[in-house]
Amino acid sequence: MRRAFLYKIFLLLTVSFTVAMPAHAEDGYEAWLRYQPVVEQKLRKAYQQQLRAIITEGNSPTLQAATGELQRGLSGLLAKPVAISEKLSSNALVVGTPASSPLIASLDLSARLSMLGNEGYLIEKARINKRNVTVIAANSDTGVLYGSFHLLRLLQTQQALDNISISSAPKLQHRVINHWDNLNRVIERGYAGLSLWDWGTLPEHKSQRYVDYARINASLGINGTVINNVNADPRVLSDQFLQKIAALADVFRPYGIKVYLSINYNSPRAFGDLDTADPLDPRVAKWWQERTKKVYDYIPDFGGYLVKANSEGQPGPQDYKRNHADGANMLAAALKPYGGIVFWRAFVYHPDIDDRFRGSYDEFKPLDGKFADNVILQVKNGPIDFQPREPYSALFSAMEKTNMMMEFQVTQEYFGFATHLAYQGSLFEESLRTETYVKGEGSTIGNILEGKTFNTKHTGMAAVINPGTDRNWTGHPFVQSSWYAFGRMAWDHSISADVAADEWLRMTFTNDKKFIEPVKQFMLASREAGVNYRSPLGLTHLYSQGDHYGPAPWTANLERPDWTAIYYHRAAKDGIGFNRTKTGSNAVAQYPETLAKQYGDLKTVPEDLLLWFHHVSWDHQMQSGRTLWNELVHKYYDGVEQVRSMQREWEKLESFIDAERFAQVKALLKIQERDAVIWRDSCVLYFQTFSGKPIPAEYEQPKHDLEYYKTLARTRYVPEPWHPASSSRVLK
Ligand code: BDP
């Protein structure tokens, strides 16, 4: 008796101790799955009373993952061990599907579950055999897993469970992350260490990190991962790599995550099997059929191929005078028997066209309706390339008969890498809520993606993401917030940037409002700050060629004009901006009429897109009453002030969070402030050589002259160790 009592005390102490003291310091490894004890005592008690045990019937690997996560999460959050039991008891949490669980089946949820598809779930109160319980029910084990993460999120964000009744189902089918990982483990545009995939020790060693990666993604409902770079190494389809990839797929499978591969279009040649990769050559089609069968032999639930073809030097069907549809459909036919998908990227642009903006639309629009039904066109959010602000890619409102999915970027290639704080949730929200008017009001990008506007068969959203071997996965702790926002919005595009940031902060740091409110406010402003100090009012692509980190708006005379900065801003004595109206490249005509009119008219174009569409005189009157020149200067200075205000806010918050993450973010904000000043001064001084106008006296004047900033750009350290630009700078 006494011994049992002592043992109980011991257990209690160890659990509360391990729960309160994570194995590692707060280094970000746990991401938003920290499961720290609920601080508010009353709430914690209520949770303890309502969730006394976990009852799972059925033991598939996915149900085990769900149950394991619930036990881990609840034991942490409730600060007491929560048992898994087979016997029904009052105030238990009952989880399962009608097929796996007689208890769930007894509730007759079938009518409501049938509305939720294969991945949706219900979380609600119920009575089973006269006992009050909480239920997580779904049609599939994966649905149960998603519901489990949702329940944990409710506790992590301190929401009462008393009258809980939630039903949720994803709005998009394919919610996919794209890694740009090379097989040598260098990540293109990664910034957070080496690739997570340790090819040297796979398949024998399956690192715990792979499991934690899968948990993090499953918590958001992400159901696909493309594990290698779109600039693809053909070897990824070799037996030796497929064996390793199969081991990863085994780890991800219980978490509902399918593996996809980026392929190199020239693979039949690279393997030395054929001297052509012409998609209309039957030998090529056969090669892909055989190779694809092999892939499915290794990975029976393989997702499909992602293809970057005839883009930035990658091979593709055009090398054989075939078009993108010919190229994609041949692969689609090879995948079809297994239910596989082709994600065909629309990111193409050619130097011989006078406006890069037009490139992708001009190539793909004529192919609308020509793609097989298991091809999805993967389109970047904007017409150019993940810039801090772009109008939407006109393909979204033009390809009525083609499956399309969004490609966003979480890794901050154009937002200061892993050293700047730039929450991308705001960009995603802006993009998804953009009204295209293509079928009247309500034709938002989100609704188009959902298939509501054009009634397409496949729907989806992808994000290029950068997790690497850095302990906190993403380098800057706040890059995790964009990963989080992406996943939540891929599940439901109506979730706002505000809501996603709120949840993320609560789960990642603390539920204390005094911390959340100021940090959320500056997170929500951080993307605009990044636009302001880099390229306000519709300017774009003012980077040094290749490194994409610092400013070099003077960049000219490269082998391709569309890689220079002057190509995009067109600054001259008479004004600045790219004329894409009827009197210019007329790219504006790619949009539905309402928008083409709005964007094409200087009086109605939104000011934050002004220089995307118009070449405007320096004296042009802006809505603020300032001239364009003064407004431009104002925006650049505002951007720097926004970063300074983030710094000031962060300084006040030391007492709310752990010392480790506090200090890291503080240091990173300092770097960001330094870089923001460099951006501002470089751009303002450079554009001043055209405007000939002063920087108004009320602003702090640049400390250096333009030559100083030009030299700085040539010698700059770029925090991307493996990019050629950081190792072989040419000093002219
Ligand atoms: C550009 C990146 C480059 C990628 C390319 C792509 O600079 O590294 O390969 O996009 O999306 O933004 O294919």
Side-chain angles (χ1 to χ4, degrees):
M1 189 57 197
R2 205 177 129 77
R3 268 183 57 187
F5 178 70
L6 281 179
Y7 179 69
K8 254 191 181 160
I9 299 268
F10 167 77
L11 208 74
L12 244 160
L13 281 177
T14 29
V15 168
S16 37
F17 189 70
T18 35
V19 161
M21 302 278 300
H24 297 272
E26 287 280 10
D27 57 10
Y29 182 83
E30 305 289 341
W32 48 88
L33 303 178
R34 287 163 61 249
Y35 305 135
Q36 292 295 294
V38 174
V39 176
E40 237 228 84
Q41 292 293 337
K42 253 174 100 182
L43 202 57
R44 196 203 295 180
K45 276 232 159 65
Y47 291 152
Q48 285 171 351
Q49 272 157 16
Q50 294 174 71
L51 303 166
R52 286 176 187 273
I54 304 161
I55 297 174
T56 317
E57 294 169 304
N59 67 348
S60 71
T62 300
L63 284 177
Q64 281 175 27
T67 314
E69 195 71 30
L70 284 168
Q71 188 178 35
R72 170 192 196 137
L74 294 179
S75 300
L77 287 154
L78 309 190
K80 82 188 238 297
V82 176
I84 300 175
S85 154
E86 277 165 16
K87 233 184 89 207
L88 183 66
S89 53
S90 285
N91 295 313
L93 172 65
V94 181
V95 302
T97 66
S100 73
S101 164
L103 291 175
I104 297 286
S106 75
L107 288 170
D108 191 23
L109 300 168
S110 48
R112 286 163 57 223
L113 281 176
S114 70
M115 325 260 294
L116 298 176
N118 201 36
E119 294 175 302
Y121 51 82
L122 297 169
I123 307 176
E124 58 192 27
K125 296 285 180 188
R127 261 178 94 71
I128 306 181
N129 296 345
K130 304 203 181 113
R131 291 188 169 86
N132 291 327
V133 294
T134 307
V135 160
I136 303 174
N139 293 313
S140 73
D141 295 349
T142 310
V144 174
L145 179 72
Y146 293 155
S148 303
F149 277 113
H150 190 145
L151 179 82
L152 290 168
R153 182 167 70 238
L154 295 174
L155 271 65
Q156 288 173 285
T157 55
Q158 298 200 355
Q159 299 182 50
L161 300 182
D162 302 333
N163 299 310
I164 187 177
S165 171
I166 288 174
S167 71
S168 183
K171 292 198 164 134
L172 303 179
Q173 296 156 358
H174 302 281
R175 306 175 299 279
V176 184
I177 47 182
N178 293 184
H179 293 263
W180 284 356
D181 294 15
N182 296 312
L183 300 187
N184 63 2
R185 300 191 69 193
V186 170
I187 306 179
E188 185 157 334
R189 320 296 181 186
Y191 329 115
L194 289 172
S195 168
L196 293 170
W197 326 129
D198 186 5
W199 301 118
T201 59
L202 280 164
E204 284 79 7
H205 177 60
K206 296 179 188 171
S207 154
Q208 174 60 30
R209 223 173 158 151
Y210 306 149
V211 179
D212 292 330
Y213 162 88
R215 290 176 48 236
I216 289 172
N217 284 308
S219 76
L220 302 170
I222 284 167
N223 62 4
T225 177
V226 186
I227 60 168
N228 64 318
N229 192 356
V230 286
N231 299 317
D233 187 325
R235 288 178 301 160
V236 79
L237 291 178
S238 67
D239 282 277
Q240 62 162 336
F241 272 100
L242 288 173
Q243 272 164 24
K244 296 169 191 292
I245 296 160
L248 288 177
D250 290 344
V251 177
F252 303 158
R253 187 169 299 111
Y255 292 91
I257 299 168
K258 280 189 180 182
V259 165
Y260 296 76
L261 294 175
S262 297
I263 56 104
N264 182 303
Y265 210 79
N266 262 347
S267 296
R269 296 174 60 176
F271 276 84
D273 294 335
L274 297 175
D275 58 3
T276 175
D278 178 353
L280 299 193
D281 185 320
R283 291 171 304 154
V284 172
K286 187 159 172 277
W287 189 93
W288 280 105
Q289 281 159 19
E290 286 169 3
R291 188 57 54 165
T292 302
K293 178 177 181 308
K294 191 191 268 291
V295 176
Y296 279 91
D297 286 344
Y298 281 106
I299 310 164
D301 57 351
F302 177 69
Y305 299 136
L306 171 64
V307 194
K308 172 176 179 177
N310 295 117
S311 162
E312 298 185 332
Q314 291 299 317
Q318 291 174 343
D319 304 347
Y320 305 93
K321 307 217 164 15
R322 313 298 183 194
N323 65 35
H324 287 283
D326 298 328
N329 293 346
M330 182 273 293
L331 292 173
L335 287 158
K336 184 101 184 171
Y338 314 95
I341 299 279
V342 178
F343 300 137
W344 191 267
R345 293 179 91 225
F347 177 66
V348 298
Y349 58 105
H350 296 293
D352 48 359
I353 183 167
D354 65 344
D355 182 0
R356 175 175 168 183
F357 189 115
R358 301 188 57 103
S360 178
Y361 180 103
D362 287 351
E363 270 191 53
F364 281 94
K365 176 65 185 160
L367 300 176
D368 190 19
K370 302 234 157 67
F371 289 92
D373 67 357
N374 58 332
V375 175
I376 310 181
L377 209 59
Q378 185 168 310
V379 185
K380 287 188 185 184
N381 59 289
I384 304 287
D385 193 357
F386 297 141
Q387 296 301 294
R389 170 167 282 114
E390 297 198 31
Y392 78 85
S393 163
L395 283 173
F396 286 113
S397 48
M399 303 291 280
E400 305 203 5
K401 290 174 255 151
T402 304
N403 299 312
M404 267 183 306
M405 66 195 274
M406 173 63 80
E407 180 177 308
F408 283 129
Q409 197 178 46
V410 164
T411 187
Q412 293 177 191
E413 176 179 354
Y414 295 98
F415 267 101
F417 300 178
T419 50
H420 291 198
L421 194 159
Y423 172 54
Q424 299 295 299
S426 315
L427 187 156
F428 305 157
E429 177 187 289
E430 175 179 295
S431 171
L432 294 167
R433 295 186 181 190
T434 301
E435 179 59 89
T436 71
Y437 301 104
V438 62
K439 299 267 169 180
E441 300 244 341
S443 313
T444 61
I445 297 289
N447 284 338
I448 291 174
L449 292 178
E450 201 182 325
K452 276 184 170 169
T453 311
F454 300 139
N455 195 21
T456 38
K457 180 173 169 194
H458 285 285
T459 60
M461 209 193 276
V464 180
I465 191 168
N466 77 329
T469 48
D470 274 14
R471 187 71 198 150
N472 74 358
W473 306 89
T474 52
H476 197 305
F478 276 72
V479 175
Q480 285 187 8
S481 65
S482 304
W483 184 355
Y484 185 86
F486 164 73
R488 299 285 287 125
M489 293 183 193
W491 183 272
D492 179 353
H493 58 80
S494 71
I495 289 176
S496 67
D498 187 314
V499 164
D502 198 275
E503 290 174 1
W504 179 79
L505 282 168
R506 287 171 187 275
M507 296 161 79
T508 308
F509 289 103
T510 165
N511 272 285
D512 195 325
K513 273 218 161 80
K514 292 201 211 85
F515 176 85
I516 295 166
E517 283 310 317
V519 180
K520 189 168 75 180
Q521 286 322 313
F522 75 61
M523 276 174 80
L524 290 172
S526 63
R527 180 276 186 130
E528 202 60 41
V531 171
N532 287 340
Y533 62 73
R534 283 189 187 85
S535 44
L537 299 178
L539 287 173
T540 206
H541 221 304
L542 307 179
Y543 303 84
S544 312
Q545 161 57 11
D547 76 39
H548 297 173
Y549 185 73
W554 44 80
T555 306
N557 299 327
L558 296 174
E559 59 191 283
R560 280 180 65 158
D562 53 2
W563 287 348
T564 67
I566 62 163
Y567 175 91
Y568 295 97
H569 62 67
R570 315 233 155 171
K573 293 272 177 246
D574 71 337
I576 182 169
F578 199 131
N579 181 359
R580 294 191 163 99
T581 68
K582 274 191 217 122
T583 57
S585 78
N586 204 23
V588 78
Q590 296 181 338
Y591 290 108
E593 214 185 317
T594 316
L595 275 187
K597 264 203 192 130
Q598 191 194 333
Y599 291 169
D601 186 340
L602 202 49
K603 289 195 272 321
T604 50
V605 64
E607 283 193 345
D608 53 13
L609 296 178
L610 177 67
L611 305 179
W612 270 102
F613 295 108
H614 298 269
H615 187 81
V616 185
S617 102
W618 296 106
D619 292 322
H620 175 76
Q621 282 300 304
M622 303 293 286
Q623 278 156 19
S624 61
R626 297 186 189 97
T627 63
L628 171 66
W629 165 250
N630 282 345
E631 184 76 8
L632 196 66
V633 173
H634 173 74
K635 289 276 181 194
Y636 272 111
Y637 276 79
D638 210 27
V640 170
E641 288 316 314
Q642 283 172 295
V643 178
R644 289 180 179 156
S645 130
M646 297 204 274
Q647 281 186 292
R648 282 194 299 273
E649 288 302 323
W650 188 255
E651 288 289 344
K652 296 182 205 155
L653 301 170
E654 186 161 9
S655 61
F656 291 96
I657 61 166
D658 53 287
E660 193 169 350
R661 288 184 297 173
F662 177 78
Q664 188 188 5
V665 172
K666 180 177 159 167
L668 290 168
L669 284 169
K670 194 166 170 199
I671 297 169
Q672 185 168 1
E673 194 264 352
R674 180 203 66 197
D675 289 346
V677 171
I678 293 171
W679 265 100
R680 179 195 73 189
D681 292 354
S682 302
C683 293
V684 168
L685 288 171
Y686 169 71
F687 291 132
Q688 191 178 38
T689 64
F690 301 99
S691 80
K693 294 175 192 297
I695 300 169
E698 68 260 31
Y699 298 114
E700 66 187 19
Q701 299 295 306
K703 289 207 179 64
H704 307 282
D705 64 8
L706 185 56
E707 279 315 306
Y708 170 90
Y709 289 106
K710 286 188 172 174
T711 307
L712 192 64
R714 284 199 292 270
T715 54
R716 180 165 38 233
Y717 170 70
V718 179
E720 184 184 14
W722 303 285
H723 192 277
S726 60
S727 53
S728 61
R729 312 304 298 268
V730 182
L731 299 180
K732 279 186 218 145

